[in-house]
Amino acid sequence: MTIIVGYTESAASKAALDFGLDLAAKLSMNLVVVNAGPGSERRAETELTRAEAEQLEQYLANFQVPTELRQYARGRSTADEFKDVVAELDPYLVVIGGAKRSGFAKFMMGSVADELLRELQAPVLSVKVPEASVASNAQE
């Protein structure tokens, strides 16, 4: 079985990744990390740069869990990319990071996390950033 983790360069995604790695190790499962954005002439802020992807792959190599990084920027929505990966892999669980935003910000910008929670045909777990991480990020 497989665990899928949605990943961007954010504290919430890093918390989701660490949770997914720990769970995959405990359950002896594979882990697929998915970075998906709409793509176009301009790179979306959620898309990993080549350097970020290489750094992530080096991080993943430190674990005994079989891992794979998949990146998609094919002009489709993040939710559509995730739906296809979920249909292909039929995962045990999809793990995503939950960012804290006000109701107005969520209304204006939408929320990929909310869309994934509603539309994926697999169990979805939203992981919050640990409070210690929030405090240390605020100091940086």
Side-chain angles (χ1 to χ4, degrees):
M1 297 262 356
T2 302
I3 295 173
I4 297 173
V5 175
Y7 189 82
T8 63
E9 277 293 308
S10 70
S13 288
K14 290 175 184 172
L17 178 61
D18 288 340
F19 182 90
L21 284 163
D22 185 50
L23 186 61
K26 288 177 182 173
L27 299 176
S28 299
M29 293 187 177
N30 297 336
L31 185 95
V32 175
V33 180
V34 177
N35 174 251
S40 67
E41 290 83 37
R42 292 185 295 145
R43 185 181 71 81
E45 66 183 45
T46 58
E47 294 174 53
L48 298 178
T49 64
R50 183 181 313 244
E52 290 168 339
E54 288 172 3
Q55 184 178 17
L56 176 58
E57 286 180 330
Q58 289 173 358
Y59 180 72
L60 294 173
N62 293 320
F63 296 88
Q64 298 298 317
V65 174
T67 60
E68 175 186 355
L69 172 60
R70 295 186 181 191
Q71 289 187 271
Y72 300 101
R74 303 182 289 197
R76 300 175 63 210
S77 74
T78 300
D80 286 340
E81 296 292 2
F82 268 86
K83 287 179 197 175
D84 286 352
V85 173
V86 165
E88 174 193 344
L89 298 177
D90 189 25
Y92 174 78
L93 181 68
V94 177
V95 183
I96 59 174
K100 191 172 189 178
R101 288 194 287 176
S102 70
F104 182 74
K106 191 184 295 184
F107 172 75
M108 290 302 293
M109 299 186 311
S111 171
V112 172
D114 288 340
E115 189 173 359
L116 294 177
L117 285 166
R118 284 191 319 271
E119 296 195 18
L120 290 183
Q121 297 299 310
V124 180
L125 175 70
S126 178
V127 176
K128 291 183 181 181
V129 178
E131 288 300 318
S133 297
V134 173
S136 67
N137 285 345
Q139 293 174 356
E140 291 176 0

